[in-house]
Structures are given as C-alpha cells and as structure tokens.
Amino acid sequence: MREFIYLSDAKLRQFIPHPRRLRRPGALRLTTPVGGIDLDAPTDDAGSARGRQLDQVVGHLAESARWFGEPDLRPGEWVWFEAPLLYVTLRRANRDLVLFTDPIPGADPQYPSADCRLLMHGSARHLLGMTPVSVEGPALTATDEGSSACTTFVTDAGEVVRTLTGAGHPAPPGARGVRDLLAALDAAQPDIPTAAWTQGYARVTAALPATATAPRCLVASPLTVEYAL
C-alpha cells in the first residue's frame, strides 16, 4: 500500500485521457425500435475512479518525468524526486501555503543535496491528515526608514511568497527572494521534526542556477508526495 502525504486534485484534473473510439469493455448495448444505444457499464464510486486516474497519471509520468536534479530543466516540465522533506507553513503568510524543503546540505549523510536544493510549494488543503510545522520564515515586508513617510514595501522573499500563493504577478519567482526564503527555512530546521524520506512527482516552477555561494535550486509544485518505500 502507498501512503500519501500530499495529493493535488487540481493537478490530477489537468490530465485528460485521449477519447476512446471503441466501446469500453463491459459496456452494454440497448436495442430499441429506432436503433441501438450503447450504455456504459456501471461505474465505481468516486474514490475508485480517482484511484484509477491517479494510477494512470503516475504511469504516464513514470515514463516521461525527469529527475529533479538534472541541470537543464525548464518551467512547466514534470520531474520526479526522492528526498527527505520537511513541510511547513509561514506564520506571517497565507496559511494555505505549504512549503516542502530538503535538509541543509550535509545535515543528512544519506542525502547528497550539495548539487541541487529542492523547494516545493502547494496548498495545505491537499495535505492528507498531516499538520505542517508553523515557522517564522523570512521578513515579508520592511520599512524604508530613509524616507520621510517611512514607506512599507514588500521584500524579495515577500514577493516570492505572493507569487507562490497566486497573489503576485504570474511570473517565475525571483532568484534573490527564493534564496532568502530558503535561507529562512534552513535557519528554522533545528526546530522542525526529522525529515521523512519521500518520493513523488512535481511540475517545475523555476530552476535557479548555482552561484558562488549556493548550489542550484529547483522550485516546483507537487502532484504527489508519498513516503518512500
């Protein structure tokens, strides 16, 4: 049996099977005075149909998705991952935003995260019975004390959080803001329970190149997060 932590019904609905030209096995044909009518066999309940669709989608992605650590990924591509992940919400942000992050490089000797960090974002509504840890996170706004009006503005990390919740501009999140967000999540990791090994599929939101001080980072939105076997 598979045990899911997160399953996005919204992403699952994006996959529509090709129309079938032939009758499905088990379909019935009703003969009437004016001709024949094909009737579908009785369907299972919604839960069974959802499970079948998930199996079909996962089977499709198993053949087409790329490994999240590959260097030339683009937004919109599907990736698969296997990594220990922590999942949190931010106290000063929309509580519907849930973030998944891998451990600080070197924190888990069994996880070689030095080449590419993984940061995923989704809706807490899609968590399956799990309660994420609430952390302080980065400053989302700041005050320009150099101006006479002490203007408040949204920080780079705040812009990223707005983008990930759908409240900002429909553009890839800024690299500086992503780095600030990831640094704040890393700083909170000592207060978060041990990461669980997980696997799943996600759609790429942004792929940040390495810098002189930080490895590459993949930002993605998951379809599934489940405990790794």
Side-chain angles (χ1 to χ4, degrees), residues 26-42:
L28 305 176
R29 186 167 182 83
L30 176 64
T31 301
T32 72
V34 294
I37 301 174
D38 292 326
L39 301 177
D40 286 339

Side-chain angles (χ1 to χ4, degrees), residues 19-226:
R20 300 184 180 184
R21 296 184 179 276
L22 301 177
R23 285 189 299 157
R24 295 189 309 175
L28 305 176
R29 186 167 182 83
L30 176 64
T31 301
T32 72
V34 294
I37 301 174
D38 292 326
L39 301 177
D40 286 339
T43 58
D44 297 332
D45 58 35
S48 298
R50 180 184 185 224
R52 285 198 309 274
Q53 184 184 13
L54 177 60
D55 288 341
Q56 292 171 352
V57 170
V58 168
H60 167 72
L61 292 177
E63 297 179 354
S64 59
R66 301 171 62 187
W67 174 243
F68 85 92
E70 293 185 25
D72 57 346
L73 295 169
R74 295 178 178 274
E77 288 190 273
W78 283 95
V79 296
W80 68 278
F81 61 87
E82 184 171 345
L85 291 180
L86 305 160
Y87 40 103
V88 303
T89 58
L90 302 177
R91 291 176 188 150
R92 290 177 291 177
N94 187 333
R95 296 298 293 272
D96 185 54
L97 174 67
V98 60
L99 298 169
F100 297 86
T101 180
D102 57 2
I104 301 170
D108 188 335
Q110 296 182 339
Y111 177 62
S113 60
D115 292 335
C116 183
R117 298 295 305 276
L118 178 60
L119 175 64
M120 298 197 298
H121 58 96
S123 169
R125 292 172 295 167
H126 299 315
L127 289 169
L128 301 179
M130 299 295 177
T131 302
V133 177
S134 179
V135 300
E136 189 66 23
L140 304 181
T141 60
T143 301
D144 183 3
E145 298 180 353
S147 67
S148 58
C150 291
T151 305
T152 299
F153 61 93
V154 179
T155 64
D156 292 329
E159 290 287 1
V160 167
V161 169
R162 292 181 62 187
T163 297
L164 299 184
T165 56
H169 298 293
R176 180 182 298 178
V178 170
R179 299 289 187 191
D180 290 346
L181 174 58
L182 191 58
L185 296 179
D186 286 349
Q189 285 196 17
D191 300 324
I192 304 174
T194 304
W197 272 91
T198 66
Q199 61 189 15
Y201 296 93
R203 173 167 272 169
V204 176
T205 303
L208 277 58
T211 67
T213 58
R216 290 183 294 114
C217 178
L218 186 78
V219 184
S221 181
L223 166 68
T224 61
V225 181
E226 61 182 297

